[in-house]
Amino acid sequence: MRITSFTRYTVIVLLHAALKRGELTTISDISEIYGISANHLMKVVHLLSANGYLETVKGRGGGLRLNLELQDIKLIDVLKLSEPDFNIVECFGDKRGKCQEIDSCKFSGVVDEALQNFFGVIEKYTFADIEKTNLFDLRQSM
């Protein structure tokens, strides 16, 4: 399984906004600090603001800030929002009907069980957990 760069950027934006403790930050700031394309960050910020995670303020002196408390942001929800799919095996998802071995295949069932276990672990964590345990320490990673 692979988590995309888009999801990594999503986590960075949320945690960076949390570090600002309610103060506005900008896409330009985040881009410069973490070396991420501003164009990629615009897509991330749009997704997060459209889904209520960020508040955006337009105009001169505008920017973005966290719209929720970290304990209210579940890691699983952010992953499912930012990842296009979790079709680890090519017969998952919309290709399921194209597999001729679907009724006798045990492999996809094992992989699906592993995916459900992955989700089970991820569901336990909020962004408050990530911040306080330094599972993702922005200050050290850049």
Side-chain angles (χ1 to χ4, degrees):
M1 179 162 157
R2 183 169 178 249
I3 302 294
T4 62
S5 295
F6 188 85
T7 296
R8 188 170 73 83
Y9 300 159
T10 302
V11 171
I12 288 171
V13 168
L14 288 170
L15 290 175
H16 179 80
L19 287 173
K20 300 302 271 182
R21 301 286 183 224
E23 293 179 26
L24 290 174
T25 190
T26 65
I27 289 173
S28 297
D29 290 342
I30 298 169
S31 175
E32 187 176 312
I33 292 167
Y34 303 106
I36 302 170
S37 159
N39 288 334
H40 290 312
L41 290 173
M42 280 191 261
K43 294 173 188 171
V44 168
V45 168
H46 176 74
L47 178 72
L48 290 171
S49 63
N51 285 278
Y53 291 96
L54 295 176
E55 174 190 4
T56 56
V57 178
K58 296 183 188 234
R60 187 176 178 98
L64 60 98
R65 73 177 125 230
L66 206 56
N67 196 37
L68 300 170
E69 297 296 322
L70 287 178
Q71 66 268 15
D72 296 329
I73 303 173
K74 296 178 181 176
L75 183 56
I76 188 72
D77 294 339
V78 173
L79 286 178
K80 287 183 175 182
L81 177 68
S82 62
E83 283 298 317
D85 65 57
F86 288 94
N87 297 334
I88 298 173
V89 180
E90 76 178 41
C91 62
F92 281 16
D94 61 354
K95 295 181 181 178
R96 190 165 186 83
K98 296 179 181 175
C99 180
Q100 296 178 11
E101 305 297 322
I102 196 74
D103 293 330
S104 61
C105 178
K106 304 292 185 232
F107 178 69
S108 64
V110 170
V111 174
D112 185 53
E113 180 182 352
L115 182 61
Q116 296 314 312
N117 284 320
F118 169 78
F119 287 150
V121 171
I122 297 296
E123 284 175 345
K124 296 176 186 177
Y125 293 94
T126 67
F127 272 72
D129 297 319
I130 293 170
E131 183 191 46
K132 74 180 167 199
T133 60
N134 292 322
L135 289 174
F136 193 95
D137 192 339
L138 294 176
R139 292 159 287 211
Q140 292 179 7
S141 68
M142 299 294 159

CSV table of all heavy atoms in Angstrom, one decimal, residues 76-114:
chain,number,residue,atom,x,y,z
A,76,ILE,N,-8.2,8.8,9.9
A,76,ILE,CA,-8.9,8.0,8.9
A,76,ILE,C,-9.7,8.8,7.9
A,76,ILE,O,-9.8,8.6,6.7
A,76,ILE,CB,-9.7,6.9,9.5
A,76,ILE,CG1,-10.2,5.9,8.5
A,76,ILE,CG2,-10.9,7.4,10.3
A,76,ILE,CD1,-9.2,5.0,7.9
A,77,ASP,N,-10.4,9.8,8.5
A,77,ASP,CA,-11.3,10.7,7.6
A,77,ASP,C,-10.4,11.5,6.6
A,77,ASP,O,-10.8,11.6,5.5
A,77,ASP,CB,-12.1,11.7,8.5
A,77,ASP,CG,-13.1,10.9,9.3
A,77,ASP,OD1,-13.5,9.8,9.0
A,77,ASP,OD2,-13.6,11.5,10.4
A,78,VAL,N,-9.3,12.0,7.1
A,78,VAL,CA,-8.4,12.7,6.2
A,78,VAL,C,-7.8,11.8,5.1
A,78,VAL,O,-7.7,12.2,4.0
A,78,VAL,CB,-7.3,13.5,7.0
A,78,VAL,CG1,-6.3,14.1,6.1
A,78,VAL,CG2,-7.9,14.5,7.9
A,79,LEU,N,-7.4,10.6,5.5
A,79,LEU,CA,-6.9,9.7,4.5
A,79,LEU,C,-7.9,9.3,3.5
A,79,LEU,O,-7.6,9.3,2.3
A,79,LEU,CB,-6.4,8.4,5.2
A,79,LEU,CG,-5.1,8.5,6.0
A,79,LEU,CD1,-4.8,7.1,6.6
A,79,LEU,CD2,-3.9,8.9,5.1
A,80,LYS,N,-9.1,9.1,3.9
A,80,LYS,CA,-10.2,8.7,3.0
A,80,LYS,C,-10.6,9.9,2.1
A,80,LYS,O,-11.0,9.7,0.9
A,80,LYS,CB,-11.4,8.1,3.7
A,80,LYS,CG,-11.1,6.7,4.2
A,80,LYS,CD,-12.3,6.1,4.9
A,80,LYS,CE,-12.0,4.7,5.3
A,80,LYS,NZ,-13.2,4.0,5.9
A,81,LEU,N,-10.4,11.1,2.6
A,81,LEU,CA,-10.7,12.3,1.8
A,81,LEU,C,-9.7,12.6,0.8
A,81,LEU,O,-10.0,12.9,-0.4
A,81,LEU,CB,-10.8,13.5,2.8
A,81,LEU,CG,-11.1,14.9,2.1
A,81,LEU,CD1,-12.5,14.9,1.5
A,81,LEU,CD2,-10.9,16.0,3.1
A,82,SER,N,-8.4,12.3,1.1
A,82,SER,CA,-7.3,12.7,0.2
A,82,SER,C,-6.8,11.6,-0.7
A,82,SER,O,-6.2,11.9,-1.7
A,82,SER,CB,-6.1,13.3,1.1
A,82,SER,OG,-5.7,12.3,1.9
A,83,GLU,N,-7.1,10.4,-0.4
A,83,GLU,CA,-6.7,9.3,-1.3
A,83,GLU,C,-7.8,9.0,-2.3
A,83,GLU,O,-8.9,8.9,-1.9
A,83,GLU,CB,-6.4,8.0,-0.4
A,83,GLU,CG,-5.0,8.1,0.3
A,83,GLU,CD,-3.8,8.2,-0.6
A,83,GLU,OE1,-3.8,7.5,-1.6
A,83,GLU,OE2,-3.0,9.0,-0.3
A,84,PRO,N,-7.4,8.7,-3.5
A,84,PRO,CA,-8.4,8.5,-4.6
A,84,PRO,C,-9.1,7.1,-4.3
A,84,PRO,O,-10.3,7.0,-4.6
A,84,PRO,CB,-7.6,8.5,-5.9
A,84,PRO,CG,-6.2,8.3,-5.5
A,84,PRO,CD,-6.0,8.8,-4.1
A,85,ASP,N,-8.4,6.1,-3.8
A,85,ASP,CA,-9.0,4.8,-3.5
A,85,ASP,C,-8.0,4.0,-2.7
A,85,ASP,O,-6.8,4.4,-2.6
A,85,ASP,CB,-9.4,4.1,-4.8
A,85,ASP,CG,-8.2,3.7,-5.7
A,85,ASP,OD1,-7.3,3.0,-5.2
A,85,ASP,OD2,-8.2,4.1,-6.9
A,86,PHE,N,-8.4,2.9,-2.2
A,86,PHE,CA,-7.6,2.0,-1.5
A,86,PHE,C,-7.6,0.6,-2.2
A,86,PHE,O,-7.6,-0.4,-1.6
A,86,PHE,CB,-8.0,1.9,0.0
A,86,PHE,CG,-7.6,3.1,0.7
A,86,PHE,CD1,-8.6,4.1,0.9
A,86,PHE,CD2,-6.4,3.3,1.3
A,86,PHE,CE1,-8.3,5.3,1.6
A,86,PHE,CE2,-6.0,4.4,2.0
A,86,PHE,CZ,-7.0,5.4,2.1
A,87,ASN,N,-7.7,0.6,-3.5
A,87,ASN,CA,-7.7,-0.6,-4.3
A,87,ASN,C,-6.3,-1.2,-4.4
A,87,ASN,O,-5.7,-1.0,-5.5
A,87,ASN,CB,-8.4,-0.3,-5.7
A,87,ASN,CG,-9.8,0.1,-5.5
A,87,ASN,OD1,-10.5,-0.2,-4.6
A,87,ASN,ND2,-10.3,0.9,-6.5
A,88,ILE,N,-5.9,-1.9,-3.4
A,88,ILE,CA,-4.5,-2.4,-3.4
A,88,ILE,C,-4.4,-3.5,-4.4
A,88,ILE,O,-3.3,-3.6,-5.0
A,88,ILE,CB,-4.2,-3.0,-2.0
A,88,ILE,CG1,-4.3,-1.8,-1.0
A,88,ILE,CG2,-2.9,-3.6,-1.9
A,88,ILE,CD1,-4.2,-2.2,0.4
A,89,VAL,N,-5.4,-4.3,-4.6
A,89,VAL,CA,-5.4,-5.4,-5.6
A,89,VAL,C,-6.2,-4.9,-6.8
A,89,VAL,O,-7.2,-4.3,-6.6
A,89,VAL,CB,-6.0,-6.7,-5.0
A,89,VAL,CG1,-5.9,-7.8,-6.0
A,89,VAL,CG2,-5.2,-7.1,-3.8
A,90,GLU,N,-5.7,-5.2,-8.0
A,90,GLU,CA,-6.4,-4.6,-9.2
A,90,GLU,C,-7.8,-5.1,-9.3
A,90,GLU,O,-8.6,-4.4,-10.0
A,90,GLU,CB,-5.6,-4.8,-10.4
A,90,GLU,CG,-5.6,-6.2,-11.0
A,90,GLU,CD,-4.8,-6.3,-12.3
A,90,GLU,OE1,-3.8,-5.8,-12.4
A,90,GLU,OE2,-5.3,-7.0,-13.2
A,91,CYS,N,-8.2,-6.1,-8.7
A,91,CYS,CA,-9.6,-6.6,-8.8
A,91,CYS,C,-10.5,-5.9,-7.7
A,91,CYS,O,-11.7,-6.2,-7.7
A,91,CYS,CB,-9.7,-8.1,-8.7
A,91,CYS,SG,-9.2,-8.8,-7.1
A,92,PHE,N,-10.0,-5.0,-6.9
A,92,PHE,CA,-10.8,-4.2,-6.0
A,92,PHE,C,-11.5,-3.1,-6.7
A,92,PHE,O,-11.1,-2.8,-7.8
A,92,PHE,CB,-9.9,-3.6,-4.9
A,92,PHE,CG,-9.5,-4.5,-3.8
A,92,PHE,CD1,-9.6,-5.9,-3.9
A,92,PHE,CD2,-9.0,-4.0,-2.6
A,92,PHE,CE1,-9.2,-6.7,-2.9
A,92,PHE,CE2,-8.6,-4.8,-1.6
A,92,PHE,CZ,-8.7,-6.2,-1.7
A,93,GLY,N,-12.5,-2.6,-6.1
A,93,GLY,CA,-13.2,-1.4,-6.7
A,93,GLY,C,-14.0,-1.8,-8.0
A,93,GLY,O,-14.6,-2.8,-8.1
A,94,ASP,N,-13.9,-0.8,-8.9
A,94,ASP,CA,-14.8,-1.0,-10.1
A,94,ASP,C,-14.3,-2.1,-11.1
A,94,ASP,O,-15.0,-2.4,-12.0
A,94,ASP,CB,-14.9,0.4,-10.9
A,94,ASP,CG,-13.5,0.9,-11.3
A,94,ASP,OD1,-12.5,0.3,-11.0
A,94,ASP,OD2,-13.5,1.9,-12.0
A,95,LYS,N,-13.1,-2.6,-10.9
A,95,LYS,CA,-12.6,-3.7,-11.7
A,95,LYS,C,-12.9,-5.1,-11.2
A,95,LYS,O,-12.6,-6.1,-11.8
A,95,LYS,CB,-11.0,-3.6,-11.8
A,95,LYS,CG,-10.6,-2.3,-12.5
A,95,LYS,CD,-9.1,-2.3,-12.7
A,95,LYS,CE,-8.7,-1.0,-13.4
A,95,LYS,NZ,-7.3,-0.8,-13.5
A,96,ARG,N,-13.6,-5.1,-10.1
A,96,ARG,CA,-14.0,-6.4,-9.4
A,96,ARG,C,-14.7,-7.3,-10.4
A,96,ARG,O,-14.4,-8.5,-10.4
A,96,ARG,CB,-14.9,-6.1,-8.2
A,96,ARG,CG,-15.1,-7.3,-7.4
A,96,ARG,CD,-15.7,-6.8,-6.0
A,96,ARG,NE,-15.8,-8.0,-5.1
A,96,ARG,CZ,-14.8,-8.4,-4.4
A,96,ARG,NH1,-13.6,-7.9,-4.4
A,96,ARG,NH2,-15.0,-9.5,-3.6
A,97,GLY,N,-15.6,-6.8,-11.2
A,97,GLY,CA,-16.3,-7.7,-12.1
A,97,GLY,C,-15.5,-8.2,-13.3
A,97,GLY,O,-15.9,-9.1,-14.0
A,98,LYS,N,-14.3,-7.7,-13.5
A,98,LYS,CA,-13.5,-8.1,-14.7
A,98,LYS,C,-12.6,-9.3,-14.3
A,98,LYS,O,-12.0,-9.9,-15.2
A,98,LYS,CB,-12.6,-7.0,-15.1
A,98,LYS,CG,-13.5,-5.8,-15.7
A,98,LYS,CD,-12.6,-4.7,-16.1
A,98,LYS,CE,-13.5,-3.5,-16.6
A,98,LYS,NZ,-12.8,-2.4,-17.0
A,99,CYS,N,-12.6,-9.7,-13.1
A,99,CYS,CA,-11.7,-10.8,-12.6
A,99,CYS,C,-12.5,-12.1,-12.8
A,99,CYS,O,-13.6,-12.3,-12.3
A,99,CYS,CB,-11.3,-10.7,-11.2
A,99,CYS,SG,-10.3,-12.0,-10.6
A,100,GLN,N,-11.9,-13.0,-13.6
A,100,GLN,CA,-12.6,-14.3,-13.8
A,100,GLN,C,-12.4,-15.3,-12.7
A,100,GLN,O,-13.1,-16.3,-12.6
A,100,GLN,CB,-12.0,-14.9,-15.1
A,100,GLN,CG,-12.4,-14.1,-16.3
A,100,GLN,CD,-11.8,-14.7,-17.6
A,100,GLN,OE1,-11.3,-15.8,-17.6
A,100,GLN,NE2,-11.8,-13.9,-18.7
A,101,GLU,N,-11.5,-15.0,-11.8
A,101,GLU,CA,-11.2,-15.9,-10.6
A,101,GLU,C,-11.8,-15.4,-9.3
A,101,GLU,O,-11.6,-15.9,-8.3
A,101,GLU,CB,-9.7,-16.0,-10.4
A,101,GLU,CG,-8.9,-16.4,-11.6
A,101,GLU,CD,-9.3,-17.8,-12.1
A,101,GLU,OE1,-9.5,-18.7,-11.2
A,101,GLU,OE2,-9.4,-18.0,-13.3
A,102,ILE,N,-12.7,-14.4,-9.4
A,102,ILE,CA,-13.2,-13.7,-8.2
A,102,ILE,C,-13.9,-14.7,-7.2
A,102,ILE,O,-13.8,-14.5,-6.0
A,102,ILE,CB,-14.2,-12.6,-8.6
A,102,ILE,CG1,-14.4,-11.6,-7.4
A,102,ILE,CG2,-15.5,-13.1,-9.1
A,102,ILE,CD1,-13.3,-10.7,-7.1
A,103,ASP,N,-14.6,-15.7,-7.7
A,103,ASP,CA,-15.3,-16.6,-6.8
A,103,ASP,C,-14.3,-17.6,-6.1
A,103,ASP,O,-14.6,-18.0,-5.0
A,103,ASP,CB,-16.3,-17.4,-7.6
A,103,ASP,CG,-17.5,-16.5,-8.0
A,103,ASP,OD1,-17.7,-15.5,-7.4
A,103,ASP,OD2,-18.1,-16.8,-9.1
A,104,SER,N,-13.2,-17.9,-6.7
A,104,SER,CA,-12.3,-18.9,-6.1
A,104,SER,C,-11.0,-18.3,-5.5
A,104,SER,O,-10.3,-18.9,-4.8
A,104,SER,CB,-11.9,-19.9,-7.1
A,104,SER,OG,-11.2,-19.3,-8.2
A,105,CYS,N,-10.8,-17.0,-5.7
A,105,CYS,CA,-9.5,-16.3,-5.3
A,105,CYS,C,-9.5,-16.1,-3.8
A,105,CYS,O,-10.5,-15.5,-3.3
A,105,CYS,CB,-9.4,-15.0,-6.1
A,105,CYS,SG,-7.9,-14.1,-5.6
A,106,LYS,N,-8.5,-16.5,-3.1
A,106,LYS,CA,-8.4,-16.2,-1.7
A,106,LYS,C,-7.4,-15.0,-1.5
A,106,LYS,O,-7.5,-14.4,-0.4
A,106,LYS,CB,-7.8,-17.4,-1.0
A,106,LYS,CG,-8.6,-18.7,-1.2
A,106,LYS,CD,-9.9,-18.7,-0.5
A,106,LYS,CE,-10.6,-20.0,-0.6
A,106,LYS,NZ,-11.9,-19.9,-1.1
A,107,PHE,N,-6.6,-14.7,-2.4
A,107,PHE,CA,-5.6,-13.6,-2.3
A,107,PHE,C,-6.3,-12.3,-2.0
A,107,PHE,O,-5.9,-11.5,-1.1
A,107,PHE,CB,-4.7,-13.5,-3.5
A,107,PHE,CG,-3.7,-12.4,-3.4
A,107,PHE,CD1,-2.7,-12.4,-2.5
A,107,PHE,CD2,-3.9,-11.2,-4.2
A,107,PHE,CE1,-1.8,-11.4,-2.4
A,107,PHE,CE2,-2.9,-10.2,-4.1
A,107,PHE,CZ,-1.9,-10.3,-3.2
A,108,SER,N,-7.3,-11.9,-2.8
A,108,SER,CA,-8.0,-10.6,-2.6
A,108,SER,C,-8.6,-10.6,-1.2
A,108,SER,O,-8.7,-9.5,-0.6
A,108,SER,CB,-9.0,-10.3,-3.7
A,108,SER,OG,-10.0,-11.3,-3.6
A,109,GLY,N,-9.1,-11.7,-0.7
A,109,GLY,CA,-9.7,-11.7,0.7
A,109,GLY,C,-8.7,-11.4,1.7
A,109,GLY,O,-9.0,-10.7,2.7
A,110,VAL,N,-7.5,-12.0,1.6
A,110,VAL,CA,-6.4,-11.8,2.5
A,110,VAL,C,-6.0,-10.3,2.5
A,110,VAL,O,-5.8,-9.7,3.6
A,110,VAL,CB,-5.2,-12.7,2.2
A,110,VAL,CG1,-4.0,-12.3,3.1
A,110,VAL,CG2,-5.6,-14.2,2.5
A,111,VAL,N,-5.8,-9.7,1.3
A,111,VAL,CA,-5.4,-8.3,1.2
A,111,VAL,C,-6.5,-7.4,1.8
A,111,VAL,O,-6.2,-6.4,2.4
A,111,VAL,CB,-5.1,-8.0,-0.3
A,111,VAL,CG1,-4.8,-6.5,-0.5
A,111,VAL,CG2,-3.9,-8.8,-0.8
A,112,ASP,N,-7.8,-7.8,1.5
A,112,ASP,CA,-8.9,-7.0,2.1
A,112,ASP,C,-8.8,-7.0,3.6
A,112,ASP,O,-9.0,-6.0,4.3
A,112,ASP,CB,-10.2,-7.4,1.5
A,112,ASP,CG,-11.3,-6.5,2.0
A,112,ASP,OD1,-11.2,-5.3,1.8
A,112,ASP,OD2,-12.3,-7.0,2.5
A,113,GLU,N,-8.6,-8.2,4.2
A,113,GLU,CA,-8.5,-8.3,5.6
A,113,GLU,C,-7.3,-7.4,6.1
A,113,GLU,O,-7.5,-6.7,7.2
A,113,GLU,CB,-8.3,-9.8,6.0
A,113,GLU,CG,-8.2,-10.0,7.5
A,113,GLU,CD,-7.9,-11.4,7.9
A,113,GLU,OE1,-8.0,-12.3,7.0
A,113,GLU,OE2,-7.7,-11.6,9.1
A,114,ALA,N,-6.2,-7.4,5.5
A,114,ALA,CA,-5.1,-6.6,5.9
A,114,ALA,C,-5.4,-5.1,5.8
A,114,ALA,O,-5.1,-4.3,6.7
A,114,ALA,CB,-3.9,-6.9,5.0
